[in-house]
């Protein structure tokens, strides 16, 4: 049994916790550890530590910050297989998915290594006689990151490398379902030379979240999770005067036009719909088939599903279990609802046969779905792919734009004009053209529109740098002669 506690001021916390949570191996259904839940006193202590550390870290040179970031990057790279194994053990995703998650997180660390360039301000000389104006960006203070279970390494890494590079101190509140990856990286920060107290980890549930959202010492909160919780987090944090970015849920549509390569589209639907058991905010959960290609496309997807092996992520499976039994049962209830609402169940993931008492649900495919059905409207967050048939491009576009979520979308076509029109007209934050999961590179920013984002700043990229800094403009005049210096003939008034 593993005991996970908090990481505060460069070491594991010794404070006793009155409340705890169980950590499961989703592939076996067995409890493998326990995680301490932070009390209000522990949270206060962590914020005090982060505040003290910030006062020194904010004045660290950019050269020192970059050296530590490079060292951290190398340590994560060297230990990425170990981090991936922790993710698989607690989340359940297959090892290749877990390793890919760590790799994508590393890209943000690499982006943050360029912080000297990213923090450069502007300078305007002689805006008036003898007067110069320049801009600078300064860190906020202690910032909080509240991350979800589905990407226990990558999502926190969207935020904390940039926050630290900008001169802030950080408190991460990982999901209580799979906290070990972040705890492991805390040790790597220390080994890289990051001063104690700059990176802290608090474990807990809603009580810890509420405390961070309302604590006067926390200057900003970055959150990723479901839309109802994201809205709550955003509203609670802003009422407390904090800078907020709350990334919510998704219902990502993949539009397939009649001229598309159907084999490419079918492969993409499989990878984007069932990778990580569909537990990702960029999963494709709705496939919009523009007739007359729906029958052929559904047949190709069904054929490919038959070759997907569901099982333990450490034993060569293509798709692992869902994260908890409760979540598995919730996703299965949507399969029940889809049948009752009249959708055609092409592949039933409830029938998957896997050894062991894990939280299993196989790839599931529905056809003839309509906008009135719950499987179309709700974020299921599982391996359930719905096919909705339309007659025209305009009908497909209207479906996507009418949906309250606007996180990601994709279009598959060989028509460049159609693709260009779609990227212009679709009301979604991230668009893929013949790319099913359009997650931006770290030097661009990640985030959706509509009910997929509360706040106006996306994650990482230059928007991330701006989120974790405040702008300041200085207007300067130095009088001459000064301190008895030589009179160079400049006017004394302007």
């Amino acid at each position: 049994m593993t005991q996970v506690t908090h990481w505060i001021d460069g070491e594991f916390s010794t404070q006793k916790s009155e409340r705890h949570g169980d950590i499961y191996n989703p592939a076996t259904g067995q409890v493998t550890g326990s995680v301490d839940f932070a009390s209000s006193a522990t949270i206060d202590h962590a914020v005090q530590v982060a505040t003290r550390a910030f006062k020194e870290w904010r004045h660290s040179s950019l050269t020192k910050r970059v050296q530590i970031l490079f060292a951290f990057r190398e340590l994560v790279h060297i230990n990425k297989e170990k981090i991936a194994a922790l993710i698989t053990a607690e989340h359940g995703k297959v090892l290749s998915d877990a390793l890919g998650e760590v790799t994508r997180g590393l890209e943000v660390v690499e982006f943050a290594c360029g912080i000297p360039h990213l923090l450069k301000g502007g300078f305007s000389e002689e805006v008036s006689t003898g007067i110069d104006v320049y801009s600078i960006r300064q860190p906020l203070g202690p910032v909080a990151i509240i991350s979800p279970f589905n990407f226990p390494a990558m999502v926190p890494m969207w935020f904390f490398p940039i926050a630290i590079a900008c001169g802030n101190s950080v408190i991460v509140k990982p999901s209580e379902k799979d906290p070990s990856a972040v705890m492991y990286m805390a040790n790597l920060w220390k080994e890289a030379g990051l001063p104690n107290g700059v990176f802290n980890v608090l474990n807990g549930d809603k009580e810890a979240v509420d405390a961070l959202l309302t604590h006067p010492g926390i200057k900003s909160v970055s959150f990723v999770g479901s839309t109802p919780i994201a809205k709550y987090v955003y509203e609670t944090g802003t009422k407390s005067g904090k800078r907020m970015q709350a990334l919510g849920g998704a219902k990502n549509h993949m539009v397939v036009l009649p001229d598309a390569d159907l084999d490419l589209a079918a492969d993409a639907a499989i990878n984007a719909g069932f990778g990580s058991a569909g537990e990702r905010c960029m999963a494709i959960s709705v496939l919009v088939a523009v007739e007359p290609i729906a029958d052929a496309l559904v047949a190709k997807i069904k054929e490919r599903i038959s070759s997907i092996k569901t099982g333990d992520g450490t034993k060569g499976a293509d798709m692992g279990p869902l994260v908890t039994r409760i979540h598995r049962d919730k996703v299965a209830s949507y399969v029940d609802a889809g049948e009752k609402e009249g959708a055609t169940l092409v592949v039933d993931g409830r029938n998957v046969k896997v050894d062991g008492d894990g939280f299993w649900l196989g790839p599931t495919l529905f056809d003839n779905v309509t906008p009135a059905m719950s499987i179309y409207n709700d974020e299921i967050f599982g391996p359930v792919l719905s096919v909705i048939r339309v007659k025209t491009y305009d009908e497909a576009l209207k479906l996507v734009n009418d949906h309250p979520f606007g996180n990601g979308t994709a279009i598959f076509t060989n028509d460049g004009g159609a693709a260009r029109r779609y990227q212009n007209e679709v009301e979604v934050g991230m668009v893929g053209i013949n790319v099913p999961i359009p997650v931006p590179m770290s030097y661009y920013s990640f985030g959706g529109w509509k009910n997929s984002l509360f706040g106006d700043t996306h994650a990482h990229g230059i928007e991330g740098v701006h989120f974790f800094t405040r702008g300041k403009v200085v207007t300067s005049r130095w009088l001459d002669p000064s301190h008895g210096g030589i009179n160079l003939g400049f006017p004394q008034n302007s």
Side-chain angles (χ1 to χ4, degrees):
M1 294 286 289
T2 301
Q3 182 64 41
V4 179
T5 184
H6 319 292
W7 178 272
I8 302 172
D9 206 11
E11 62 184 8
F12 293 110
S13 174
T14 58
Q15 296 184 10
K16 293 184 179 180
S17 296
E18 296 181 356
R19 299 191 308 120
H20 310 269
D22 290 332
I23 300 173
Y24 288 85
N25 182 333
T28 65
Q30 301 300 309
V31 175
T32 57
S34 177
V35 56
D36 293 341
F37 286 176
S39 64
S40 58
T42 302
I43 293 168
D44 279 337
H45 173 58
V47 175
Q48 290 172 12
V49 166
T51 301
R52 184 177 66 247
F54 166 71
K55 291 178 180 179
E56 294 188 9
W57 179 245
R58 67 169 300 185
H59 295 298
S60 60
S61 70
L62 292 175
T63 300
K64 180 180 179 180
R65 295 182 204 174
V66 169
Q67 289 171 347
I68 292 173
L69 281 162
F70 269 113
F72 177 72
R73 187 266 173 201
E74 286 305 301
L75 288 168
V76 173
H77 177 70
I78 292 168
N79 292 280
K80 60 185 177 183
E81 286 83 6
K82 296 178 182 178
I83 299 171
L86 291 171
I87 295 169
T88 297
E90 294 180 350
H91 175 274
K93 66 178 64 175
V94 301
L95 282 170
S96 59
D97 279 349
L99 191 59
E101 168 183 347
V102 179
T103 300
R104 291 308 301 267
L106 271 173
E107 292 172 0
V108 182
V109 181
E110 293 163 356
F111 170 77
C113 288
I115 200 65
H117 174 72
L118 298 168
L119 284 181
K120 288 192 300 186
F123 191 99
S124 297
E125 187 179 39
E126 296 289 344
V127 297
S128 187
T129 304
I131 296 178
D132 306 323
V133 176
Y134 53 95
S135 63
I136 55 178
R137 301 205 66 86
Q138 296 182 319
L140 306 177
V143 301
I145 299 163
I146 302 170
S147 62
F149 72 84
N150 60 323
F151 286 98
M154 184 187 73
V155 168
M157 292 172 81
W158 282 352
F159 305 105
F160 67 65
I162 299 173
I164 289 172
C166 289
N168 303 281
S169 57
V170 170
I171 296 176
V172 179
K173 207 300 287 182
S175 170
E176 64 274 22
K177 297 179 178 67
D178 45 14
S180 294
V182 167
M183 297 300 296
Y184 191 92
M185 287 190 286
N187 265 309
L188 298 184
W189 273 120
K190 185 178 181 70
E191 188 176 346
L194 188 69
N196 292 342
V198 177
F199 184 83
N200 308 276
V201 183
L202 287 174
N203 290 295
D205 53 6
K206 184 178 183 298
E207 184 176 321
V209 171
D210 286 342
L212 290 171
L213 289 173
T214 56
H215 199 291
I218 297 296
K219 303 306 178 184
S220 75
V221 177
S222 303
F223 172 86
V224 178
S226 69
T227 284
I229 305 302
K231 184 178 181 182
Y232 167 80
V233 164
Y234 177 77
E235 292 175 348
T236 305
T238 52
K239 285 179 183 177
S240 297
K242 303 188 189 313
R243 180 177 289 189
M244 299 293 300
Q245 53 183 176
L247 283 67
K251 197 70 176 181
N252 302 318
H253 295 64
M254 187 174 103
V255 176
V256 182
L257 297 187
D259 71 320
D261 182 323
L262 296 189
D263 288 315
L264 176 65
D267 289 339
I270 291 292
N271 293 329
F274 305 125
S276 294
E279 293 174 321
R280 54 188 179 193
C281 64
M282 290 301 288
I284 291 296
S285 54
V286 179
L287 194 154
V288 185
V290 181
E291 294 290 24
I293 50 90
D295 285 342
L297 185 56
V298 169
K300 289 178 180 292
I301 295 172
K302 179 182 178 181
E303 178 186 1
R304 284 161 171 77
I305 288 177
S306 65
S307 65
I308 296 176
K309 180 182 178 182
T310 302
D312 190 326
T314 65
K315 299 179 180 179
D318 301 309
M319 192 183 88
L322 275 73
V323 68
T324 63
R325 191 176 305 279
I326 292 174
H327 185 58
R328 183 266 171 210
D329 292 345
K330 179 181 178 181
V331 175
S333 73
Y334 275 105
V335 182
D336 299 338
E339 279 191 302
K340 292 177 181 177
E341 292 170 349
T344 303
L345 185 56
V346 180
V347 179
D348 188 349
R350 296 169 299 183
N351 298 328
V352 68
K353 303 297 182 184
V354 182
D355 293 335
D357 193 28
F359 311 137
W360 307 111
L361 185 75
T364 299
L365 178 63
F366 277 107
D367 193 7
N368 299 304
V369 175
T370 71
M373 298 177 180
S374 62
I375 57 172
Y376 175 76
N377 288 294
D378 297 348
E379 183 183 33
I380 299 173
F381 220 64
V384 179
L385 179 63
S386 298
V387 177
I388 187 166
R389 299 171 178 234
V390 298
K391 296 180 180 179
T392 65
Y393 164 88
D394 288 333
E395 189 179 349
L397 179 69
K398 187 176 187 302
L399 269 177
V400 181
N401 286 348
D402 285 350
H403 203 283
F405 292 120
N407 201 49
T409 187
I411 185 168
F412 277 70
T413 179
N414 285 313
D415 187 329
R420 188 174 185 275
R421 179 181 171 187
Y422 186 75
Q423 73 179 36
N424 175 263
E425 295 178 335
V426 73
E427 296 173 6
V428 173
M430 293 170 283
V431 182
I433 298 174
N434 297 317
V435 174
I437 308 175
V439 178
M441 297 299 292
S442 60
Y443 36 86
Y444 284 87
S445 297
F446 181 103
W449 289 11
K450 299 185 283 191
N451 285 347
S452 294
L453 175 71
F454 297 90
D456 60 356
T457 305
H458 294 173
H460 60 68
I462 196 63
E463 289 190 55
V465 175
H466 285 180
F467 181 81
F468 288 115
T469 56
R470 291 182 292 185
K472 182 181 287 184
V473 178
V474 180
T475 302
S476 171
R477 176 170 63 181
W478 295 98
L479 302 179
D480 258 303
S482 60
H483 304 292
I486 300 173
N487 186 346
L488 300 179
F490 291 163
Q492 299 304 298
N493 297 292
S494 60

